Amino acid sequence: MTRASSRRPGPPTRTERGIPEATVARLPVYLRALTALSDSGIATASSEDLATAAGVNSAKLRKDLSYLGSYGTRGVGYDVEYLRYQIAREIGVTQDWAVVIVGIGNLGHALANYSGFGTRGFRIVALLDADPTLVGERIGEMEVRDFAELEDIVKADRVSIGVITTPAGPAQDVCDRLVAAGVTSILNFAPVVLSVPDGVDIRKVDLSIELQILAYHEQRKSGEAALPQVPELPALNGMPDLPSVGGGVGA
Amino acid sequence: MTRASSRRPGPPTRTERGIPEATVARLPVYLRALTALSDSGIATASSEDLATAAGVNSAKLRKDLSYLGSYGTRGVGYDVEYLRYQIAREIGVTQDWAVVIVGIGNLGHALANYSGFGTRGFRIVALLDADPTLVGERIGEMEVRDFAELEDIVKADRVSIGVITTPAGPAQDVCDRLVAAGVTSILNFAPVVLSVPDGVDIRKVDLSIELQILAYHEQRKSGEAALPQVPELPALNGMPDLPSVGGGVGA
DNA sequence: AGGAGCTTGTGAACGTGAGAACAAAATCGG
DNA sequence: CCGATTTTGTTCTCACGTTCACAAGCTCCT
């Protein structure tokens, strides 16, 4: 369960004409860098220029771009507008994707107001919440609608992307409803592991996990310089209470 | 520039007694799963149970845990409370980390109200904004303070983590100020590539990038089933305007 | 006490990603 | 028209991450 990658046992285990996942994750960064260059009136950029703007190394950038085709000119560089369009087309943001946001709490509010929803390519078609006291509230140019309308909205507007900004509790239920209604991509802000059937893509954004990763490295920094009394042995000292093993798995 | 990883040319290129980065990123997930199990009154769990709860495969979970030490019991599993404490200690969330949030727009508001700030281990000590009309506003139990107070606050409260929720424009300036004040870990929500000196860790959360990654896969799904007229050749058809290469790099 | 049955911890195989280095192709100057 | 220069696209190598498979170790039952 929870496998969302479609890996069929095809002939040579080759991803079907696919771009590596790590590259896909960087393409939006390149797209943004190209847009910035374009806005600055720059017409041509070398892989070195682009790499600097995108915060990566130039060899990696060139290899990434090579998966899309040969869009550069040796000795010259890349035409900014041309490459920008090619990447946008490859990602799929030359068309508009309909998005619903479920859960209009603080975060849902913030996302609903997010001007332009990042870059173009995405269109919020509905804000949904199950709380009757929220339904009807206006946020920007939209109105919060009842979660029960989900199915109608998804079908009417061909919604393929759902954003979950509910608390952890109802998130899996919301997710199931979204999938049942026909949504095939989900962006989850709720702090739970959601399980979805094969063929549905899911991505997670989790503030507290990010903070904890930072804390880990922060602790190392302090520990290295000042207080290296990290227990080297896998010892069991300083534990609140060391329970003896045993006690069934049931509740 | 923009390298935040401290890779010194030490003897065997071995990370200094370090846990692999991929593992570090999963430890918070395990921690959350363990907390959930603990709340359900479950005292012992096998790697299979834990892996299911965390949404990973059990071999990976066991290998991850093995970097921390041998905290399980063969034939039995892991003591939930014990393991939870060990992971919390390894991550560093047994102590409290002081956090400042800079940029009190929609998203800053949402984060400021985020109850408990995810899990324990983090304490918001200040909400900062440069806009004088925002300064003084109360959010929950806190009051927005002037960004100019940053240095004092960082020193007084030993702030090591900064969260940037400003627009893209001022983000790099804010980042520089944070670093200059002594912050050594940054969580960036602004859609720009920030560059920081060595020794400063930076993580990025970017809504529009996540959506674009979903869009890419979504496009593939549609294309596979219905309309496979993806141009197989690296052709240049359907382009808005195909510019001839040439035209200087300057503005 | 001893064997059967689980479950952990880890060694080895495999796949993916990153970076260095270089050949191929384009422009530019003479 | 040709060589020097620039920059891409690609190959090769190495490091990292994932998964399999199994020996080691613990508990429980007879």
Side-chain angles (χ1 to χ4, degrees), chain B residues 164-200:
Chain B
I164 299 179
T165 48
T166 65
Q172 181 66 60
D173 284 343
V174 167
C175 175
D176 293 344
R177 285 283 294 277
L178 283 168
V179 170
V183 169
T184 46
S185 290
I186 291 178
L187 181 54
N188 175 37
F189 287 83
V192 275
V193 177
L194 295 181
S195 78
V196 293
D198 263 30
V200 176

PDB file of all heavy atoms in Angstrom, chain B residues 164-200:
ATOM      1  N   ILE B 164      11.411  32.021   7.108  1.00  0.00           N
ATOM      2  CA  ILE B 164      11.185  33.154   6.210  1.00  0.00           C
ATOM      3  C   ILE B 164       9.876  32.955   5.461  1.00  0.00           C
ATOM      4  O   ILE B 164       9.740  32.012   4.678  1.00  0.00           O
ATOM      5  CB  ILE B 164      12.353  33.308   5.220  1.00  0.00           C
ATOM      6  CG1 ILE B 164      13.653  33.570   5.979  1.00  0.00           C
ATOM      7  CG2 ILE B 164      12.075  34.431   4.222  1.00  0.00           C
ATOM      8  CD1 ILE B 164      14.870  33.719   5.088  1.00  0.00           C
ATOM      9  N   THR B 165       8.923  33.855   5.730  1.00  0.00           N
ATOM     10  CA  THR B 165       7.636  33.777   5.028  1.00  0.00           C
ATOM     11  C   THR B 165       7.338  35.111   4.355  1.00  0.00           C
ATOM     12  O   THR B 165       6.181  35.495   4.234  1.00  0.00           O
ATOM     13  CB  THR B 165       6.499  33.405   6.000  1.00  0.00           C
ATOM     14  OG1 THR B 165       6.580  34.248   7.165  1.00  0.00           O
ATOM     15  CG2 THR B 165       6.588  31.983   6.442  1.00  0.00           C
ATOM     16  N   THR B 166       8.384  35.777   3.920  1.00  0.00           N
ATOM     17  CA  THR B 166       8.210  37.029   3.192  1.00  0.00           C
ATOM     18  C   THR B 166       7.958  36.725   1.719  1.00  0.00           C
ATOM     19  O   THR B 166       8.102  35.580   1.286  1.00  0.00           O
ATOM     20  CB  THR B 166       9.495  37.865   3.288  1.00  0.00           C
ATOM     21  OG1 THR B 166      10.549  37.164   2.607  1.00  0.00           O
ATOM     22  CG2 THR B 166       9.901  38.079   4.725  1.00  0.00           C
ATOM     23  N   PRO B 167       7.600  37.746   0.924  1.00  0.00           N
ATOM     24  CA  PRO B 167       7.605  37.555  -0.533  1.00  0.00           C
ATOM     25  C   PRO B 167       9.021  37.316  -1.027  1.00  0.00           C
ATOM     26  O   PRO B 167       9.990  37.469  -0.279  1.00  0.00           O
ATOM     27  CB  PRO B 167       7.043  38.876  -1.065  1.00  0.00           C
ATOM     28  CG  PRO B 167       6.360  39.515   0.089  1.00  0.00           C
ATOM     29  CD  PRO B 167       7.088  39.065   1.309  1.00  0.00           C
ATOM     30  N   ALA B 168       9.125  36.950  -2.302  1.00  0.00           N
ATOM     31  CA  ALA B 168      10.430  36.607  -2.865  1.00  0.00           C
ATOM     32  C   ALA B 168      11.407  37.781  -2.781  1.00  0.00           C
ATOM     33  O   ALA B 168      12.581  37.589  -2.468  1.00  0.00           O
ATOM     34  CB  ALA B 168      10.260  36.150  -4.315  1.00  0.00           C
ATOM     35  N   GLY B 169      10.923  38.975  -3.045  1.00  0.00           N
ATOM     36  CA  GLY B 169      11.810  40.128  -3.134  1.00  0.00           C
ATOM     37  C   GLY B 169      12.752  40.286  -1.957  1.00  0.00           C
ATOM     38  O   GLY B 169      13.977  40.214  -2.128  1.00  0.00           O
ATOM     39  N   PRO B 170      12.237  40.532  -0.762  1.00  0.00           N
ATOM     40  CA  PRO B 170      13.116  40.791   0.386  1.00  0.00           C
ATOM     41  C   PRO B 170      13.738  39.541   1.007  1.00  0.00           C
ATOM     42  O   PRO B 170      14.504  39.663   1.973  1.00  0.00           O
ATOM     43  CB  PRO B 170      12.172  41.465   1.388  1.00  0.00           C
ATOM     44  CG  PRO B 170      10.807  41.023   1.002  1.00  0.00           C
ATOM     45  CD  PRO B 170      10.820  40.757  -0.458  1.00  0.00           C
ATOM     46  N   ALA B 171      13.456  38.359   0.490  1.00  0.00           N
ATOM     47  CA  ALA B 171      13.868  37.130   1.178  1.00  0.00           C
ATOM     48  C   ALA B 171      15.379  37.034   1.373  1.00  0.00           C
ATOM     49  O   ALA B 171      15.848  36.673   2.459  1.00  0.00           O
ATOM     50  CB  ALA B 171      13.343  35.910   0.427  1.00  0.00           C
ATOM     51  N   GLN B 172      16.147  37.371   0.330  1.00  0.00           N
ATOM     52  CA  GLN B 172      17.590  37.236   0.477  1.00  0.00           C
ATOM     53  C   GLN B 172      18.136  38.219   1.511  1.00  0.00           C
ATOM     54  O   GLN B 172      19.022  37.865   2.303  1.00  0.00           O
ATOM     55  CB  GLN B 172      18.292  37.438  -0.867  1.00  0.00           C
ATOM     56  CG  GLN B 172      19.801  37.291  -0.806  1.00  0.00           C
ATOM     57  CD  GLN B 172      20.236  35.873  -0.459  1.00  0.00           C
ATOM     58  OE1 GLN B 172      19.925  34.924  -1.175  1.00  0.00           O
ATOM     59  NE2 GLN B 172      20.932  35.706   0.658  1.00  0.00           N
ATOM     60  N   ASP B 173      17.589  39.436   1.528  1.00  0.00           N
ATOM     61  CA  ASP B 173      18.018  40.405   2.535  1.00  0.00           C
ATOM     62  C   ASP B 173      17.701  39.906   3.938  1.00  0.00           C
ATOM     63  O   ASP B 173      18.532  39.960   4.843  1.00  0.00           O
ATOM     64  CB  ASP B 173      17.325  41.757   2.304  1.00  0.00           C
ATOM     65  CG  ASP B 173      17.947  42.501   1.125  1.00  0.00           C
ATOM     66  OD1 ASP B 173      19.071  42.127   0.723  1.00  0.00           O
ATOM     67  OD2 ASP B 173      17.302  43.435   0.612  1.00  0.00           O
ATOM     68  N   VAL B 174      16.492  39.428   4.102  1.00  0.00           N
ATOM     69  CA  VAL B 174      16.090  38.889   5.397  1.00  0.00           C
ATOM     70  C   VAL B 174      17.013  37.756   5.803  1.00  0.00           C
ATOM     71  O   VAL B 174      17.482  37.688   6.942  1.00  0.00           O
ATOM     72  CB  VAL B 174      14.630  38.396   5.344  1.00  0.00           C
ATOM     73  CG1 VAL B 174      14.302  37.558   6.569  1.00  0.00           C
ATOM     74  CG2 VAL B 174      13.678  39.577   5.235  1.00  0.00           C
ATOM     75  N   CYS B 175      17.288  36.902   4.857  1.00  0.00           N
ATOM     76  CA  CYS B 175      18.178  35.770   5.111  1.00  0.00           C
ATOM     77  C   CYS B 175      19.547  36.257   5.580  1.00  0.00           C
ATOM     78  O   CYS B 175      20.086  35.755   6.576  1.00  0.00           O
ATOM     79  CB  CYS B 175      18.298  34.945   3.838  1.00  0.00           C
ATOM     80  SG  CYS B 175      19.471  33.592   3.949  1.00  0.00           S
ATOM     81  N   ASP B 176      20.094  37.237   4.881  1.00  0.00           N
ATOM     82  CA  ASP B 176      21.409  37.758   5.261  1.00  0.00           C
ATOM     83  C   ASP B 176      21.384  38.339   6.679  1.00  0.00           C
ATOM     84  O   ASP B 176      22.310  38.118   7.459  1.00  0.00           O
ATOM     85  CB  ASP B 176      21.845  38.836   4.263  1.00  0.00           C
ATOM     86  CG  ASP B 176      22.108  38.265   2.870  1.00  0.00           C
ATOM     87  OD1 ASP B 176      22.248  37.037   2.761  1.00  0.00           O
ATOM     88  OD2 ASP B 176      22.159  39.050   1.904  1.00  0.00           O
ATOM     89  N   ARG B 177      20.325  39.065   6.981  1.00  0.00           N
ATOM     90  CA  ARG B 177      20.204  39.646   8.320  1.00  0.00           C
ATOM     91  C   ARG B 177      20.119  38.552   9.388  1.00  0.00           C
ATOM     92  O   ARG B 177      20.741  38.649  10.453  1.00  0.00           O
ATOM     93  CB  ARG B 177      18.956  40.534   8.402  1.00  0.00           C
ATOM     94  CG  ARG B 177      19.063  41.879   7.722  1.00  0.00           C
ATOM     95  CD  ARG B 177      19.872  42.878   8.551  1.00  0.00           C
ATOM     96  NE  ARG B 177      19.245  43.267   9.813  1.00  0.00           N
ATOM     97  CZ  ARG B 177      18.326  44.197   9.952  1.00  0.00           C
ATOM     98  NH1 ARG B 177      17.906  44.876   8.894  1.00  0.00           N
ATOM     99  NH2 ARG B 177      17.816  44.482  11.133  1.00  0.00           N
ATOM    100  N   LEU B 178      19.341  37.515   9.098  1.00  0.00           N
ATOM    101  CA  LEU B 178      19.224  36.403  10.042  1.00  0.00           C
ATOM    102  C   LEU B 178      20.592  35.780  10.297  1.00  0.00           C
ATOM    103  O   LEU B 178      20.988  35.556  11.448  1.00  0.00           O
ATOM    104  CB  LEU B 178      18.264  35.339   9.489  1.00  0.00           C
ATOM    105  CG  LEU B 178      16.767  35.646   9.584  1.00  0.00           C
ATOM    106  CD1 LEU B 178      15.971  34.647   8.750  1.00  0.00           C
ATOM    107  CD2 LEU B 178      16.298  35.595  11.038  1.00  0.00           C
ATOM    108  N   VAL B 179      21.303  35.514   9.227  1.00  0.00           N
ATOM    109  CA  VAL B 179      22.604  34.876   9.356  1.00  0.00           C
ATOM    110  C   VAL B 179      23.564  35.783  10.123  1.00  0.00           C
ATOM    111  O   VAL B 179      24.277  35.332  11.026  1.00  0.00           O
ATOM    112  CB  VAL B 179      23.172  34.528   7.969  1.00  0.00           C
ATOM    113  CG1 VAL B 179      24.626  34.080   8.088  1.00  0.00           C
ATOM    114  CG2 VAL B 179      22.331  33.446   7.313  1.00  0.00           C
ATOM    115  N   ALA B 180      23.541  37.065   9.777  1.00  0.00           N
ATOM    116  CA  ALA B 180      24.427  38.007  10.457  1.00  0.00           C
ATOM    117  C   ALA B 180      24.120  38.066  11.954  1.00  0.00           C
ATOM    118  O   ALA B 180      25.015  38.219  12.786  1.00  0.00           O
ATOM    119  CB  ALA B 180      24.295  39.403   9.839  1.00  0.00           C
ATOM    120  N   ALA B 181      22.849  37.904  12.294  1.00  0.00           N
ATOM    121  CA  ALA B 181      22.455  37.971  13.698  1.00  0.00           C
ATOM    122  C   ALA B 181      22.834  36.705  14.459  1.00  0.00           C
ATOM    123  O   ALA B 181      22.800  36.681  15.683  1.00  0.00           O
ATOM    124  CB  ALA B 181      20.953  38.226  13.807  1.00  0.00           C
ATOM    125  N   GLY B 182      23.153  35.642  13.742  1.00  0.00           N
ATOM    126  CA  GLY B 182      23.589  34.435  14.415  1.00  0.00           C
ATOM    127  C   GLY B 182      22.716  33.212  14.202  1.00  0.00           C
ATOM    128  O   GLY B 182      22.978  32.150  14.761  1.00  0.00           O
ATOM    129  N   VAL B 183      21.683  33.354  13.390  1.00  0.00           N
ATOM    130  CA  VAL B 183      20.830  32.201  13.089  1.00  0.00           C
ATOM    131  C   VAL B 183      21.593  31.250  12.171  1.00  0.00           C
ATOM    132  O   VAL B 183      22.222  31.681  11.213  1.00  0.00           O
ATOM    133  CB  VAL B 183      19.523  32.664  12.413  1.00  0.00           C
ATOM    134  CG1 VAL B 183      18.750  31.486  11.847  1.00  0.00           C
ATOM    135  CG2 VAL B 183      18.670  33.442  13.406  1.00  0.00           C
ATOM    136  N   THR B 184      21.547  29.951  12.484  1.00  0.00           N
ATOM    137  CA  THR B 184      22.333  29.010  11.694  1.00  0.00           C
ATOM    138  C   THR B 184      21.484  27.952  10.990  1.00  0.00           C
ATOM    139  O   THR B 184      22.007  27.048  10.360  1.00  0.00           O
ATOM    140  CB  THR B 184      23.372  28.306  12.577  1.00  0.00           C
ATOM    141  OG1 THR B 184      22.742  27.885  13.783  1.00  0.00           O
ATOM    142  CG2 THR B 184      24.517  29.237  12.908  1.00  0.00           C
ATOM    143  N   SER B 185      20.159  28.054  11.122  1.00  0.00           N
ATOM    144  CA  SER B 185      19.272  27.166  10.367  1.00  0.00           C
ATOM    145  C   SER B 185      18.096  27.981   9.868  1.00  0.00           C
ATOM    146  O   SER B 185      17.505  28.747  10.628  1.00  0.00           O
ATOM    147  CB  SER B 185      18.753  26.029  11.249  1.00  0.00           C
ATOM    148  OG  SER B 185      19.781  25.124  11.561  1.00  0.00           O
ATOM    149  N   ILE B 186      17.767  27.800   8.600  1.00  0.00           N
ATOM    150  CA  ILE B 186      16.715  28.613   7.997  1.00  0.00           C
ATOM    151  C   ILE B 186      15.739  27.726   7.244  1.00  0.00           C
ATOM    152  O   ILE B 186      16.136  26.831   6.502  1.00  0.00           O
ATOM    153  CB  ILE B 186      17.323  29.668   7.051  1.00  0.00           C
ATOM    154  CG1 ILE B 186      18.075  30.711   7.886  1.00  0.00           C
ATOM    155  CG2 ILE B 186      16.266  30.323   6.183  1.00  0.00           C
ATOM    156  CD1 ILE B 186      18.759  31.763   7.093  1.00  0.00           C
ATOM    157  N   LEU B 187      14.460  28.003   7.474  1.00  0.00           N
ATOM    158  CA  LEU B 187      13.409  27.331   6.722  1.00  0.00           C
ATOM    159  C   LEU B 187      12.761  28.379   5.837  1.00  0.00           C
ATOM    160  O   LEU B 187      12.160  29.338   6.325  1.00  0.00           O
ATOM    161  CB  LEU B 187      12.383  26.721   7.687  1.00  0.00           C
ATOM    162  CG  LEU B 187      11.219  25.947   7.072  1.00  0.00           C
ATOM    163  CD1 LEU B 187      11.718  24.860   6.142  1.00  0.00           C
ATOM    164  CD2 LEU B 187      10.346  25.351   8.171  1.00  0.00           C
ATOM    165  N   ASN B 188      12.875  28.208   4.541  1.00  0.00           N
ATOM    166  CA  ASN B 188      12.478  29.248   3.599  1.00  0.00           C
ATOM    167  C   ASN B 188      11.216  28.881   2.824  1.00  0.00           C
ATOM    168  O   ASN B 188      11.180  27.873   2.130  1.00  0.00           O
ATOM    169  CB  ASN B 188      13.619  29.501   2.608  1.00  0.00           C
ATOM    170  CG  ASN B 188      13.224  30.476   1.526  1.00  0.00           C
ATOM    171  OD1 ASN B 188      12.490  31.434   1.781  1.00  0.00           O
ATOM    172  ND2 ASN B 188      13.696  30.250   0.313  1.00  0.00           N
ATOM    173  N   PHE B 189      10.187  29.719   2.969  1.00  0.00           N
ATOM    174  CA  PHE B 189       8.949  29.520   2.212  1.00  0.00           C
ATOM    175  C   PHE B 189       8.871  30.446   1.015  1.00  0.00           C
ATOM    176  O   PHE B 189       7.923  30.351   0.228  1.00  0.00           O
ATOM    177  CB  PHE B 189       7.732  29.768   3.112  1.00  0.00           C
ATOM    178  CG  PHE B 189       7.473  28.689   4.107  1.00  0.00           C
ATOM    179  CD1 PHE B 189       8.150  28.663   5.314  1.00  0.00           C
ATOM    180  CD2 PHE B 189       6.554  27.676   3.853  1.00  0.00           C
ATOM    181  CE1 PHE B 189       7.913  27.667   6.246  1.00  0.00           C
ATOM    182  CE2 PHE B 189       6.308  26.679   4.783  1.00  0.00           C
ATOM    183  CZ  PHE B 189       6.992  26.674   5.984  1.00  0.00           C
ATOM    184  N   ALA B 190       9.817  31.363   0.876  1.00  0.00           N
ATOM    185  CA  ALA B 190       9.764  32.301  -0.254  1.00  0.00           C
ATOM    186  C   ALA B 190      10.252  31.605  -1.520  1.00  0.00           C
ATOM    187  O   ALA B 190      11.195  30.817  -1.472  1.00  0.00           O
ATOM    188  CB  ALA B 190      10.631  33.523   0.041  1.00  0.00           C
ATOM    189  N   PRO B 191       9.608  31.888  -2.643  1.00  0.00           N
ATOM    190  CA  PRO B 191       9.983  31.202  -3.886  1.00  0.00           C
ATOM    191  C   PRO B 191      11.224  31.781  -4.534  1.00  0.00           C
ATOM    192  O   PRO B 191      11.174  32.317  -5.631  1.00  0.00           O
ATOM    193  CB  PRO B 191       8.739  31.389  -4.770  1.00  0.00           C
ATOM    194  CG  PRO B 191       8.101  32.634  -4.267  1.00  0.00           C
ATOM    195  CD  PRO B 191       8.412  32.719  -2.799  1.00  0.00           C
ATOM    196  N   VAL B 192      12.343  31.687  -3.840  1.00  0.00           N
ATOM    197  CA  VAL B 192      13.631  32.077  -4.410  1.00  0.00           C
ATOM    198  C   VAL B 192      14.704  31.133  -3.902  1.00  0.00           C
ATOM    199  O   VAL B 192      14.532  30.489  -2.871  1.00  0.00           O
ATOM    200  CB  VAL B 192      14.068  33.496  -3.968  1.00  0.00           C
ATOM    201  CG1 VAL B 192      13.465  34.549  -4.849  1.00  0.00           C
ATOM    202  CG2 VAL B 192      13.780  33.725  -2.519  1.00  0.00           C
ATOM    203  N   VAL B 193      15.795  31.075  -4.631  1.00  0.00           N
ATOM    204  CA  VAL B 193      16.962  30.317  -4.186  1.00  0.00           C
ATOM    205  C   VAL B 193      17.780  31.243  -3.305  1.00  0.00           C
ATOM    206  O   VAL B 193      18.282  32.257  -3.779  1.00  0.00           O
ATOM    207  CB  VAL B 193      17.799  29.845  -5.382  1.00  0.00           C
ATOM    208  CG1 VAL B 193      19.035  29.130  -4.892  1.00  0.00           C
ATOM    209  CG2 VAL B 193      16.976  28.952  -6.284  1.00  0.00           C
ATOM    210  N   LEU B 194      17.905  30.898  -2.039  1.00  0.00           N
ATOM    211  CA  LEU B 194      18.688  31.720  -1.123  1.00  0.00           C
ATOM    212  C   LEU B 194      20.107  31.192  -1.075  1.00  0.00           C
ATOM    213  O   LEU B 194      20.332  29.985  -1.126  1.00  0.00           O
ATOM    214  CB  LEU B 194      18.075  31.680   0.277  1.00  0.00           C
ATOM    215  CG  LEU B 194      16.688  32.289   0.411  1.00  0.00           C
ATOM    216  CD1 LEU B 194      16.220  32.205   1.854  1.00  0.00           C
ATOM    217  CD2 LEU B 194      16.678  33.725  -0.073  1.00  0.00           C
ATOM    218  N   SER B 195      21.059  32.104  -0.961  1.00  0.00           N
ATOM    219  CA  SER B 195      22.419  31.615  -0.774  1.00  0.00           C
ATOM    220  C   SER B 195      22.900  32.010   0.609  1.00  0.00           C
ATOM    221  O   SER B 195      22.678  33.128   1.074  1.00  0.00           O
ATOM    222  CB  SER B 195      23.342  32.123  -1.878  1.00  0.00           C
ATOM    223  OG  SER B 195      23.701  33.445  -1.658  1.00  0.00           O
ATOM    224  N   VAL B 196      23.516  31.053   1.265  1.00  0.00           N
ATOM    225  CA  VAL B 196      23.973  31.244   2.634  1.00  0.00           C
ATOM    226  C   VAL B 196      25.415  30.774   2.728  1.00  0.00           C
ATOM    227  O   VAL B 196      25.861  29.963   1.919  1.00  0.00           O
ATOM    228  CB  VAL B 196      23.123  30.419   3.625  1.00  0.00           C
ATOM    229  CG1 VAL B 196      21.707  30.941   3.686  1.00  0.00           C
ATOM    230  CG2 VAL B 196      23.133  28.953   3.257  1.00  0.00           C
ATOM    231  N   PRO B 197      26.152  31.297   3.705  1.00  0.00           N
ATOM    232  CA  PRO B 197      27.537  30.843   3.860  1.00  0.00           C
ATOM    233  C   PRO B 197      27.596  29.404   4.375  1.00  0.00           C
ATOM    234  O   PRO B 197      26.596  28.866   4.856  1.00  0.00           O
ATOM    235  CB  PRO B 197      28.111  31.812   4.892  1.00  0.00           C
ATOM    236  CG  PRO B 197      26.942  32.368   5.615  1.00  0.00           C
ATOM    237  CD  PRO B 197      25.805  32.365   4.655  1.00  0.00           C
ATOM    238  N   ASP B 198      28.765  28.806   4.254  1.00  0.00           N
ATOM    239  CA  ASP B 198      28.975  27.471   4.794  1.00  0.00           C
ATOM    240  C   ASP B 198      28.664  27.466   6.294  1.00  0.00           C
ATOM    241  O   ASP B 198      28.928  28.437   7.000  1.00  0.00           O
ATOM    242  CB  ASP B 198      30.436  27.056   4.587  1.00  0.00           C
ATOM    243  CG  ASP B 198      30.587  26.213   3.340  1.00  0.00           C
ATOM    244  OD1 ASP B 198      29.806  26.420   2.402  1.00  0.00           O
ATOM    245  OD2 ASP B 198      31.466  25.338   3.335  1.00  0.00           O
ATOM    246  N   GLY B 199      28.126  26.346   6.736  1.00  0.00           N
ATOM    247  CA  GLY B 199      27.826  26.227   8.157  1.00  0.00           C
ATOM    248  C   GLY B 199      26.406  26.590   8.480  1.00  0.00           C
ATOM    249  O   GLY B 199      25.931  26.316   9.578  1.00  0.00           O
ATOM    250  N   VAL B 200      25.718  27.210   7.535  1.00  0.00           N
ATOM    251  CA  VAL B 200      24.304  27.517   7.742  1.00  0.00           C
ATOM    252  C   VAL B 200      23.476  26.525   6.940  1.00  0.00           C
ATOM    253  O   VAL B 200      23.725  26.310   5.757  1.00  0.00           O
ATOM    254  CB  VAL B 200      23.973  28.961   7.305  1.00  0.00           C
ATOM    255  CG1 VAL B 200      22.485  29.227   7.426  1.00  0.00           C
ATOM    256  CG2 VAL B 200      24.774  29.954   8.134  1.00  0.00           C
TER     257      VAL B 200
END
